[in-house]
Amino acid sequence: MYHPVRDCITSLFLPHGFPDSVSDDYLEYQLWDTLQAFSSSVTGSLATHALLRGSGVGDSSATVTAATITWILRDGTGMVGRILFAWMKGCRLDCDAKRWRLFADVLNDLAMFIEILAPVFPSCFTLTVCTAGVCKCIVGVAGGATRAALTVHQARRDNMADVCAKDGSQETLVNLAGLLVSLLLVPLVSDSLWGTHLLFLVLTGLHLYANYRAVRSVVMETLNQSRLAIVLEHFLLEGQILRPAQANHKEPLFPGLGSQVSVDVGVSLNAVVSSVSQLNLLQKGNDCRYLLGWRRDTGGLAVVLHRGAGSADVIRSVVHAEILNRKTSCSDPARYSILAETHRQVSRMFPDFCHGLRASGWVTDRNLLDSDDWRANWDINKGL
């Protein structure tokens, strides 16, 4: 049946071909994302009000020059923070998009809280504003990059631009609604410090909850280290492969949580091997396109990839690292014999594991295992 109003709203705010043109988790994610954007818009108005008051708006003794200098310092420190954060964490944002998305929203709330507190400490106003500016610029990098990663996941018909554009339309509408509500609420609490803080806490609680639900609703079919560790653990215990929805539901969303092994994938051969004899030990029993060993500098597990290694080889190397980590440590004198033993174990179980991944809906022709670009060349058959 033709519904002109519904069809008009759908064409304005949802991607063409919805729901078939997007992932199954699209609608639930967007609903929670809309709620968090609305609460963030209102708290942003509170923060802006506090910054303007702290800058001297309404104060006859304040000068335009002082306010301009404060804003310049705020923008400048934020730009430096943006560059440094992108340099330090840029390659990790794709691998843990959901975790960094939630991190960005928590940091954004912290930045607005700092801005609201800024007028309370006028002697430290510039320092406080600059700190908040750095936080917000980091939010811009982390939030924007992870939003792009989630858009790639949601777009199922090579329609990433359309999904991104409609997301922008939704956000614009929500921000407009937030501005209208702010026009009503901000004058009511503008003269009350406690009222401002109470409203901020209520909206921040709503914002964080909506963000958590939004991120938790995302079901990604590509494997990162957290999801691979969860799937592998269940396979070793139960002999079954978890489906993407089951593993994503168990994926930790906060830093420091999760039991995945720390392994550097795609390091240079020199980072692991110092002699020909050591190379022979790593190749013993090894018939695959990677060398698993221990870094010479830190002692942590690391993987050297063969120049012919594909996505399945990368997944296998991390699976091997997870299994090896359960059986040995970097100081174990028998670690090389245990390494050869685990090579045989992985050779037996990985074909069934990889087939189960594909049958359960996981994508194996690409991954999010944070592999570096180093590649080496050696005789694969030497370990046979």
Side-chain angles (χ1 to χ4, degrees):
M1 184 178 295
Y2 178 65
H3 297 279
V5 176
R6 185 192 65 184
D7 293 343
C8 179
I9 294 175
T10 299
S11 63
L12 281 174
F13 298 106
L14 293 175
H16 179 72
F18 174 86
D20 298 325
S21 61
V22 292
S23 59
D24 293 337
D25 54 19
Y26 176 84
L27 186 59
E28 183 179 359
Y29 174 83
Q30 293 301 129
L31 290 174
W32 286 111
D33 190 55
T34 296
L35 182 58
Q36 70 86 18
F38 172 79
S39 56
S40 180
S41 178
V42 179
T43 51
S45 298
L46 294 175
T48 300
H49 176 267
L51 285 179
L52 292 175
R53 185 174 60 185
S55 299
V57 174
D59 185 357
S60 59
S61 62
T63 64
V64 175
T65 302
T68 303
I69 292 175
T70 299
W71 242 248
I72 291 174
L73 291 174
R74 172 178 177 266
D75 292 343
T77 53
M79 292 174 186
V80 174
R82 179 192 297 268
I83 294 171
L84 292 177
F85 179 77
W87 167 64
M88 295 172 62
K89 297 295 183 180
C91 61
R92 296 293 308 170
L93 298 179
D94 280 306
C95 301
D96 288 303
K98 293 193 288 184
R99 186 176 296 187
W100 283 109
R101 178 72 177 179
L102 190 59
F103 165 83
D105 288 307
V106 172
L107 187 61
N108 186 56
D109 288 335
L110 176 62
M112 287 191 288
F113 180 67
I114 293 174
E115 289 176 340
I116 288 176
L117 286 181
V120 180
F121 306 99
S123 60
C124 303
F125 180 77
T126 300
L127 177 62
T128 305
V129 169
C130 289
T131 302
V134 171
C135 292
K136 283 198 168 184
C137 283
I138 292 175
V139 169
V141 175
T146 53
R147 174 66 261 184
L150 293 177
T151 301
V152 171
H153 158 71
Q154 292 173 337
R156 294 303 167 95
R157 289 185 178 174
D158 294 326
N159 57 337
M160 182 177 171
D162 185 30
V163 173
C164 186
K166 295 303 170 57
D167 181 68
S169 298
Q170 295 168 23
E171 187 172 352
T172 300
L173 180 65
V174 171
N175 287 336
L176 179 60
L179 289 176
L180 295 176
V181 172
S182 298
L183 288 175
L184 300 175
L185 290 181
V186 172
L188 296 177
V189 300
S190 59
D191 296 327
S192 172
L193 185 62
W194 288 109
T196 300
H197 290 172
L198 179 61
L199 180 60
F200 175 81
L201 290 176
V202 171
L203 291 171
T204 299
L206 178 62
H207 178 248
L208 293 176
Y209 177 73
N211 266 298
Y212 177 81
R213 291 295 302 270
V215 173
R216 178 57 76 191
S217 69
V218 175
V219 178
M220 304 193 80
E221 298 89 359
T222 45
L223 291 162
N224 64 3
Q225 286 198 15
S226 296
R227 293 190 285 272
L228 181 57
I230 292 168
V231 173
L232 177 63
E233 181 73 21
H234 188 81
F235 178 79
L236 294 175
L237 292 176
E238 306 292 338
Q240 297 177 336
I241 299 291
L242 291 174
R243 292 190 172 275
Q246 296 170 308
N248 275 263
H249 182 70
K250 296 182 177 182
E251 183 182 2
L253 298 179
F254 296 99
L257 299 180
S259 58
Q260 68 272 12
V261 65
S262 177
V263 55
D264 298 324
V265 183
V267 302
S268 65
L269 186 63
N270 184 58
V272 176
V273 176
S274 60
S275 64
V276 175
S277 60
Q278 190 177 24
L279 176 60
N280 291 333
L281 287 172
L282 294 181
Q283 286 185 288
K284 185 178 180 181
N286 183 2
D287 61 347
C288 46
R289 293 185 176 88
Y290 65 86
L291 293 175
L292 177 61
W294 293 267
R295 291 191 67 108
R296 296 165 57 192
D297 50 358
T298 64
L301 283 170
V303 174
V304 180
L305 294 174
H306 190 272
R307 67 178 183 180
S311 177
D313 299 298
V314 175
I315 295 173
R316 175 172 172 169
S317 71
V318 177
V319 167
H320 192 172
E322 290 280 353
I323 293 174
L324 181 62
N325 186 60
R326 289 167 165 82
K327 296 188 174 184
T328 187
S329 65
C330 61
S331 59
D332 193 332
R335 59 181 180 170
Y336 287 104
S337 61
I338 297 174
L339 174 61
E341 176 189 334
T342 55
H343 268 299
R344 291 188 289 271
Q345 178 184 352
V346 173
S347 294
R348 290 192 302 268
M349 59 84 66
F350 187 74
D352 291 336
F353 180 75
C354 191
H355 176 75
L357 287 175
R358 297 190 186 102
S360 299
W362 292 99
V363 175
T364 58
D365 58 355
R366 65 181 189 276
N367 62 77
L368 297 172
L369 294 172
D370 194 23
S371 172
D372 209 341
D373 296 330
W374 288 97
R375 296 295 184 270
N377 191 27
W378 67 87
D379 184 4
I380 296 175
N381 296 322
K382 187 174 182 179
L384 295 177

